[in-house]
């Protein structure tokens, strides 16, 4: 990528070539060095080209060549050229990997730290699509665990046996505890999704219980709390995660109902009724406009998809809806849509391009919209306060809770990452995890507390602005953040904002 930037800057500054020639040269460079699409170039120089009418048609053609180059290999080829794709769009699938159990579970290098509390937020595992793709029905996905899944993952049979011997939970409207139907219904957890969460639970067990002795060799059910939104995919994900996490214990935990933002008046001490949010409900107000080149790129993509699907381009609406319906095919090795009459198919390049555009769209939605930022800071303030209160109670030694699971959605995880300031613009993969870990350390005669934030196995603590670059964030810095993040967004205190209109 650096080579591509240097190439463009050199030729542009020398003024020896026109912008159109530079764009063609960049195209050749990308092909030669297998670089990714030049988003930086489109954003920086595209608007100048687009404003010159004589360049509009050739620019459109080159955009399509860059975005939709035909591929000779199938999407799920074993060829190593798929590596970039697997880390891009297909990384969203988060394919189950038994080796992941011990990844990210290394013990703290610094001696003297003791884990006191772990708060874990998860996105549900792999599911069937919520949306359909224009005139194409979604493929049917089996909701029975396969022989391969049972042989590859030793815990699957044990999980099925346990779930079959436990009565349905009446508080969750008699939802099944695990995937167990001939075919998964719309937006339901798949067996693959359950395996993902079983492995997440095992990974948390390996780190927190086996490695950091979270329960101090004295487990009891009162040390664990589980909350889930009232959807089969999150409820079943919670069951799978907790079975993996507590696989050494014969216990049957109660799962508590939660809203998608996990607001709890009991646990936060704040009202979940916030009519003041309506003030910031206009999404276009205070939103940074998308650049013309980016809008043109999105339009080109929609035209391409409409031709493949033989539908009017107006039927290709939300990029996230298109991505949702395509990814079930990618995640379950089902052929992508084709148009035999036109000899054209959705290929891995198109899916990867869509992944990039979805990221741009999410960034624009979450980070470039002042009203939306304020809305999410307000909406998730009660959850933030609850988490802080749980940590504070540990410091006061007035709580026995050691682990809390929040089983939610991408629309839970993404705003909370944004609130913390570590959202990277990527749609959280299936079975994503966000952990807030509270540690203690004796220094002299005093006990001090520290926070770590781990997202999908990666320590993101140093990136938190309020942690001031520390790997072990002082708890008092987190406390200051909880008390000031609304003010820093130009908001009044929570109660005043919620009660105003």
């Amino acid at each position: 990528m650096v080579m591509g930037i240097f190439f463009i800057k050199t030729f542009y500054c020398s003024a020896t070539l026109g912008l159109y020639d530079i764009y063609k040269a960049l195209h050749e460079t990308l092909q030669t060095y297998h670089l990714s699409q030049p988003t930086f170039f489109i954003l920086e120089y595209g608007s100048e080209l687009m404003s010159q009418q004589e360049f509009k048609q050739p620019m459109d053609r080159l955009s399509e060549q860059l975005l939709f180059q035909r591929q000779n290999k199938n999407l799920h080829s074993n060829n190593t050229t798929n590596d970039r794709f697997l880390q891009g769009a297909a990384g969203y699938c988060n394919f189950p990997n038994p080796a992941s159990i011990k990844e990210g579970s290394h013990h703290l290098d610094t001696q003297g730290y003791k884990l006191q509390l772990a708060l874990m937020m998860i996105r549900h595992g792999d599911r069937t699509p919520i949306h359909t793709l224009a005139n194409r029905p979604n493929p049917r996905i089996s909701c029975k665990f396969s022989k391969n899944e049972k042989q590859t993952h030793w815990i699957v049979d044990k999980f099925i046996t346990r779930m079959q011997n436990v009565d349905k939970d009446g508080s969750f409207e008699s939802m099944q505890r695990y995937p167990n139907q001939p075919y998964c219904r719309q937006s339901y957890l798949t067996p693959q999704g359950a395996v993902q969460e079983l492995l997440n639970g095992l990974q948390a067990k390996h780190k927190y219980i086996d490695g950091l002795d979270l329960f101090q060799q004295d487990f009891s059910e009162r040390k664990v709390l589980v909350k889930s939104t009232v959807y089969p995919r999150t409820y079943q994900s919670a069951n799978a995660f907790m079975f993996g996490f507590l696989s050494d214990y014969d216990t049957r935990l109660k799962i508590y109902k939660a809203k998608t933002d996990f607001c709890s008046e009991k646990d936060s001490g704040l009202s979940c009724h916030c009519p003041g949010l309506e003030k910031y409900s206009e999404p276009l107000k205070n939103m940074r406009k998308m650049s013309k080149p980016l809008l043109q790129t999105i339009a080109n993509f929609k035209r391409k998809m409409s031709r493949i699907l033989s539908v009017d381009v107006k039927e290709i609406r939300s990029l996230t809806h298109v991505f949702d319906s395509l990814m079930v095919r990618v995640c379950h090795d089902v052929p992508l849509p084709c148009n035999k009459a036109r000899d054209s198919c959705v290929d891995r390049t198109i899916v990867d391009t869509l992944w990039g555009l979805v990221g741009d769209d999410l960034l624009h939605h979450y980070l470039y919209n002042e009203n939306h930022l304020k809305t999410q800071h307000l909406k998730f303030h009660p959850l933030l306060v609850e988490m802080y209160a749980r940590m504070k109670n540990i410091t006061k030694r007035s709580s026995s809770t050691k682990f809390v699971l929040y089983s939610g959605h991408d629309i839970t995880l993404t705003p909370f990452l944004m609130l913390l300031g570590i959202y990277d613009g990527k749609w959280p993969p299936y079975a994503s995890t966000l952990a807030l870990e509270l540690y203690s350390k004796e220094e002299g005669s005093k006990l001090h507390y520290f926070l770590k934030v781990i997202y999908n196995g990666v320590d993101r603590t140093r990136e938190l602005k309020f942690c001031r670059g520390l790997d072990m964030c002082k708890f008092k810095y987190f406390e200051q953040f909880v008390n000031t993040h609304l003010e820093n967004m130009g908001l009044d205190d929570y109660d005043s904002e919620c009660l105003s209109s």
Side-chain angles (χ1 to χ4, degrees), residues 164-436:
Q164 288 175 338
N165 293 326
V166 177
D167 294 334
K168 290 183 178 179
D169 188 342
S171 63
F172 275 83
E173 302 169 6
S174 298
M175 294 178 187
Q176 289 188 325
R177 290 184 175 270
Y178 71 108
N180 185 30
Q181 296 174 326
Y183 293 98
C184 296
R185 294 164 60 184
Q186 182 181 16
S187 74
Y188 268 50
L189 190 75
T190 66
Q192 178 170 296
V195 171
Q196 290 169 329
E197 297 298 2
L198 284 167
L199 296 183
N200 275 345
L202 285 172
Q203 185 182 61
K205 170 186 176 294
H206 184 77
K207 178 179 181 180
Y208 295 141
I209 300 177
D210 300 341
L212 297 173
D213 193 21
L214 176 61
F215 299 129
Q216 300 178 19
Q217 305 296 314
D218 182 28
F219 171 77
S220 68
E221 293 183 4
R222 61 187 174 82
K223 293 185 177 182
V224 176
L225 176 65
V226 184
K227 296 185 178 186
S228 171
T229 62
V230 192
Y231 292 84
R233 58 185 180 273
T234 51
Y235 174 62
Q236 293 176 357
S237 290
N239 276 306
F241 183 102
M242 293 309 299
F243 182 81
F245 184 53
L246 300 179
S247 54
D248 287 348
Y249 306 100
D250 183 14
T251 183
R252 299 179 181 180
L253 293 171
K254 178 177 176 59
I255 300 177
Y256 293 88
K257 288 182 178 181
K259 301 178 180 181
T260 54
D261 58 7
F262 286 96
C263 181
S264 167
E265 296 184 357
K266 175 185 175 182
D267 294 330
S268 69
L270 298 170
S271 173
C272 294
H273 179 61
C274 188
L277 285 170
E278 293 296 323
K279 299 195 301 287
Y280 308 108
S281 62
E282 298 179 30
L284 297 180
K285 190 175 182 180
N286 296 322
M287 178 186 280
R288 187 188 305 178
K289 293 183 179 179
M290 284 187 178
S291 65
K292 289 183 179 179
L294 180 56
L295 290 172
Q296 184 63 45
T297 301
I298 293 173
N300 287 342
F301 177 85
K302 290 183 176 181
R303 284 198 298 270
K304 178 72 174 182
M305 287 298 300
S306 69
R307 288 197 294 268
I308 294 175
L309 299 175
S310 294
V311 297
D312 191 287
V313 70
K314 293 180 181 178
E315 293 189 42
I316 310 298
R317 297 177 182 175
S318 168
L319 294 179
T320 54
H321 293 183
V322 175
F323 186 77
D324 179 52
S325 57
L326 285 178
M327 288 310 292
V328 67
R329 295 164 169 85
V330 175
C331 299
H332 291 271
D333 202 15
V334 177
L336 289 162
C338 283
N339 187 327
K340 294 182 180 179
R342 295 187 177 182
D343 189 29
S344 59
C345 296
V346 175
D347 59 25
R348 68 171 181 262
T349 304
I350 291 177
V351 177
D352 224 359
T353 296
L354 177 57
W355 172 245
L357 293 176
V358 166
D360 289 337
D361 189 48
L362 289 173
L363 269 176
H364 190 260
H365 181 67
Y366 279 103
L367 297 184
Y368 301 157
N369 180 349
E370 183 180 335
N371 276 355
H372 192 81
L373 284 169
K374 290 181 176 180
T375 296
Q376 300 311 318
H377 274 262
L378 269 178
K379 191 174 182 180
F380 283 87
H381 181 70
L383 174 59
L384 188 67
V385 169
E386 176 192 328
M387 290 180 164
Y388 162 73
R390 293 190 182 282
M391 295 181 192
K392 189 68 175 179
N393 288 337
I394 291 291
T395 68
K396 295 177 179 179
R397 302 183 182 182
S398 61
S399 173
S400 60
T401 303
K402 290 290 187 178
F403 183 86
V404 182
L405 180 73
Y406 303 87
S407 182
H409 311 257
D410 57 326
I411 59 172
T412 309
L413 197 53
T414 300
F416 201 75
L417 289 168
M418 180 273 296
L419 185 152
L420 292 174
I422 55 173
Y423 178 55
D424 58 6
K426 296 178 181 178
W427 200 344
Y430 288 129
S432 285
T433 61
L434 174 67
L436 279 71

